[in-house]
Amino acid sequence: SGHPFQAMENPVEEPMSRLTRDLIAEILSRVPYKSLCICKCVCPAWRDLIADPVYRKKIVHSLTGFFYRITEEAAAFPGVNYAYLSAFPWASVPKTHPRLPLPPDSTDRVMSVDDSCDGLFLARISIGAGNFRYMVSNPATGEYTLLPHNGHAGNDSIAYLGFDSDASTEGFHVFEFAEDWSPPDHRGIQFQVVTQVRIYSSKTGAWVAMEPKWDSQVSLCFGQPRVFRNGCLHLIGLSCFDADVFGLAIVDAQGLKWRIVPLPANSFSGFIGKSHGHLFYVDSDTSLTTISVYTLSGEIYNWGVCHQDDDCIYWKLYKCSNVIPNKESLEVIGVHPHANLIFIAHSNNQVLAYDLDRQESTVVCHLGHTYHRFMQFFPYVPLLSCLPLDGGIRLVTPS
């Protein structure tokens, strides 16, 4: 008979060792978000594969929920709570509550969330005497970075985050728009208009200040949605030139290209979002009984071409359908990044997912706080790669 330990000389080959990296990535792309986080701890090879930019597009996960502003102090993050899309089949919802990273010395500071973009979040932290610093963080990894002070004091500014997870090597950008009152127009009306723009780049770790170069003065509204696409920030704003026209104000991350595109509907209540890689404009009536969805033509990025001031030349009607009658205080709060779904909040403290193809709505979550119109919602798509930094310091919240 053989020695009892003889079998150890020829151990059985692990089945997983036969799989190529492509096959492992294919398998990992089908597991829920929480399970994927566990897979990162299996071995260094899996951890590196999940973080590898080559496979991140395949393993990328979809919308899991919304952070939203609240007034109560007892929140996971000051002024912010989280809503799971628990009844939503596309959402791989983790059972652990996602939290925005906090600096260790943030206890006595006033903090607020300004924006989110492809898994990253932008917040501002008061540092006393009316000054503040911006912080960019990644809830999925617990990483954050504090941006250098840009020399601007006061709260008369609106900030947005620009990041494309499909082009993460470009880093992220923070756009800050300082506003002031314009001189009275021919009607004697004044507007708060953008007077200076500051853009931060994570590649350089520095701010660059400039004056806006749109064709007319632009007035923004705090809380309005924005889209970062093709290296450009897109905002809904009021173009204050001769006539009051609501348009899509565009500026690139270098502050070199500026353009205003008329909207399909002259309304400040429209919603813009990014889905299937396209910019969507959602227009609806006040009761949301009908809804129209438009896509922005890629021709708008031909910067050398003289564009006509035609409301419809850049927009293509994508979907038009009936929505939800007999509901009060309806508000579009988001679009799904990979499906024909629009998210709508209403006064029953519920969030609905409206399927544009089937023209059906489903309650996907119940808000833990009283909903009010113009409440800010920040979509959360987990980003499993490291915070993209070349010119900044990466910090991690202690576990």
Side-chain angles (χ1 to χ4, degrees):
S1 61
H3 194 276
F5 295 103
Q6 186 174 0
M8 295 294 293
E9 297 176 1
N10 299 299
V12 178
E13 184 181 10
E14 280 287 338
M16 290 296 292
S17 64
R18 303 179 185 178
L19 299 181
T20 64
R21 287 171 61 87
D22 290 341
L23 286 175
I24 295 175
E26 183 67 32
I27 294 171
L28 295 177
S29 69
R30 302 171 187 269
V31 303
Y33 169 65
K34 182 182 179 182
S35 300
L36 189 63
C37 292
I38 296 173
C39 289
K40 291 174 64 178
C41 303
V42 170
C43 63
W46 284 26
R47 179 199 62 203
D48 295 343
L49 185 144
I50 292 172
D52 191 330
V54 175
Y55 296 100
R56 186 156 29 83
K57 290 183 181 180
K58 180 184 288 293
I59 302 175
V60 66
H61 275 69
S62 195
L63 185 71
T64 63
F66 290 90
F67 285 90
Y68 61 96
R69 284 181 177 271
I70 59 174
T71 55
E72 289 83 350
E73 294 181 359
F77 185 92
V80 177
N81 207 346
Y82 184 74
Y84 292 115
L85 299 181
S86 55
F88 189 42
W90 280 271
S92 303
V93 180
K95 294 181 180 178
T96 55
H97 196 295
R99 295 181 179 273
L100 298 179
L102 289 170
D105 59 348
S106 61
T107 305
D108 299 325
R109 298 187 182 185
V110 177
M111 305 180 67
S112 65
V113 176
D114 281 15
D115 197 16
S116 71
C117 189
D118 276 15
L120 299 185
F121 284 76
L122 174 67
R124 64 176 71 193
I125 307 173
S126 67
I127 55 178
N131 295 319
F132 60 87
R133 290 181 66 180
Y134 289 109
M135 178 183 77
V136 175
S137 64
N138 182 354
T141 62
E143 297 174 314
Y144 67 92
T145 184
L146 295 172
L147 276 55
H149 187 43
N150 61 15
H152 174 67
N155 295 315
D156 56 338
S157 62
I158 304 175
Y160 297 94
L161 182 61
F163 175 66
D164 187 348
S165 58
D166 291 334
S168 60
T169 55
E170 299 300 318
F172 65 82
H173 295 82
V174 175
F175 299 76
E176 185 187 61
F177 300 89
E179 293 188 315
D180 201 353
W181 289 102
S182 68
D185 63 9
H186 63 281
R187 299 162 298 180
I189 300 177
Q190 288 182 288
F191 298 92
Q192 268 203 311
V193 297
V194 177
T195 56
Q196 190 173 43
V197 180
R198 303 174 185 87
I199 303 177
Y200 174 85
S201 168
S202 64
K203 300 281 285 185
T204 64
W207 291 90
V208 176
M210 65 200 71
E211 294 183 355
K213 299 180 179 64
W214 289 303
D215 293 336
S216 68
Q217 292 182 316
V218 171
S219 177
L220 302 176
C221 179
F222 181 77
Q224 282 292 107
R226 60 89 201 99
V227 168
F228 187 77
R229 178 176 178 265
N230 282 7
C232 299
L233 185 69
H234 306 70
L235 304 160
I236 294 179
L238 177 65
S239 177
C240 312
F241 181 74
D242 291 337
D244 302 334
V245 177
F246 293 100
L248 189 69
I250 306 173
V251 56
D252 76 328
Q254 287 72 43
L256 300 176
K257 301 170 182 175
W258 305 73
R259 177 160 289 155
I260 298 177
V261 181
L263 294 174
N266 191 32
S267 171
F268 211 45
S269 60
F271 184 92
I272 56 173
K274 187 168 64 173
S275 181
H276 304 289
H278 298 283
L279 186 146
F280 280 21
Y281 175 78
V282 182
D283 177 46
S284 62
D285 59 20
T286 55
S287 60
L288 264 178
T289 54
T290 61
I291 197 166
S292 301
V293 180
Y294 299 84
T295 57
L296 182 66
S297 169
E299 292 297 319
I300 196 62
Y301 303 108
N302 292 334
W303 302 98
V305 177
C306 180
H307 292 259
Q308 306 175 32
D309 294 329
D310 185 339
D311 288 12
C312 301
I313 193 171
Y314 310 117
W315 298 97
K316 178 182 179 182
L317 183 63
Y318 181 69
K319 295 283 183 180
C320 183
S321 62
N322 298 325
V323 189
I324 315 162
N326 302 322
K327 297 284 186 181
E328 295 181 357
S329 299
L330 295 170
E331 181 184 9
V332 177
I333 63 169
V335 298
H336 194 278
H338 310 300
N340 288 334
L341 294 163
I342 294 175
F343 296 96
I344 302 168
H346 66 86
S347 55
N348 287 345
N349 298 334
Q350 295 176 334
V351 174
L352 309 175
Y354 179 74
D355 191 317
L356 288 167
D357 297 325
R358 297 184 176 88
Q359 299 192 20
E360 297 174 349
S361 61
T362 304
V363 177
V364 291
C365 72
H366 297 265
L367 301 177
H369 298 77
T370 302
Y371 164 77
H372 59 83
R373 191 162 178 79
F374 304 117
M375 178 185 284
Q376 278 192 281
F377 289 83
F378 306 98
Y380 178 49
V381 179
L383 177 69
L384 301 181
S385 59
C386 294
L387 199 62
L389 289 173
D390 285 338
I393 300 175
R394 179 182 291 109
L395 304 168
V396 179
T397 299
S399 57

